[in-house]
Amino acid sequence: MTELHQLKCEACHSGAPKVTENEKIALLATLPDWQAIEVDGVEQLERLYTFKNFKLAWAFTDKVAALAEEECHHPEITLEWGKVKVRWWSHAAKGLHKNDFICAAKTDQLLSSE
């Protein structure tokens, strides 16, 4: 079975299908540090990463931004001293699409490559 981090995002369009509740539960089980949250009625994936200092957090933020450009899928990234919060969701789908889980897994891979 192909790991999520090995997959590529597919082009999303307006009205793209969101993951089903069962798909969401199964995909979240592979991403134990991520949680599904709702912001302004839109479901999103969120994880908080912690670092020893601002410089390490900043470097990680740069890696997430490069990943986003490579996948053509862009998260909300919040950088502060020793912390980076990442939120993935699909604007076109107005919620969670498989792309969000793929990018969450790829984000975790960035951390393990440090």
Side-chain angles (χ1 to χ4, degrees):
M1 182 175 179
T2 304
E3 300 277 336
L4 273 175
H5 71 273
Q6 296 173 316
L7 301 174
K8 289 289 284 175
C9 287
E10 60 184 54
C12 238
H13 53 81
S14 182
K18 296 182 217 181
V19 295
T20 66
E21 189 64 25
N22 287 339
E23 290 170 327
K24 179 180 78 172
I25 291 167
L27 290 165
L28 274 173
T30 69
L31 300 166
D33 296 315
W34 290 83
Q35 60 181 335
I37 63 166
E38 193 171 302
V39 178
D40 297 328
V42 177
E43 202 164 28
Q44 302 176 8
L45 290 180
E46 179 180 87
R47 179 171 176 190
L48 180 67
Y49 296 89
T50 57
F51 299 89
K52 292 181 181 179
N53 56 46
F54 185 80
K55 189 173 182 179
L56 291 172
W58 180 10
F60 183 72
T61 299
D62 286 343
K63 289 181 181 182
V64 176
L67 166 67
E69 277 298 292
E70 183 179 316
E71 292 295 328
C72 204
H73 192 56
H74 303 91
E76 176 180 310
I77 307 170
T78 305
L79 168 64
E80 57 183 291
W81 195 96
K83 296 178 187 175
V84 177
K85 181 171 52 177
V86 180
R87 283 190 192 160
W88 292 102
W89 76 98
S90 295
H91 296 83
K94 295 184 175 81
L96 293 175
H97 184 276
K98 189 168 183 181
N99 288 347
D100 305 304
F101 295 90
I102 291 169
C103 286
K106 287 178 183 265
T107 305
D108 285 349
Q109 285 293 303
L110 294 175
L111 186 65
S112 64
S113 70
E114 293 191 339

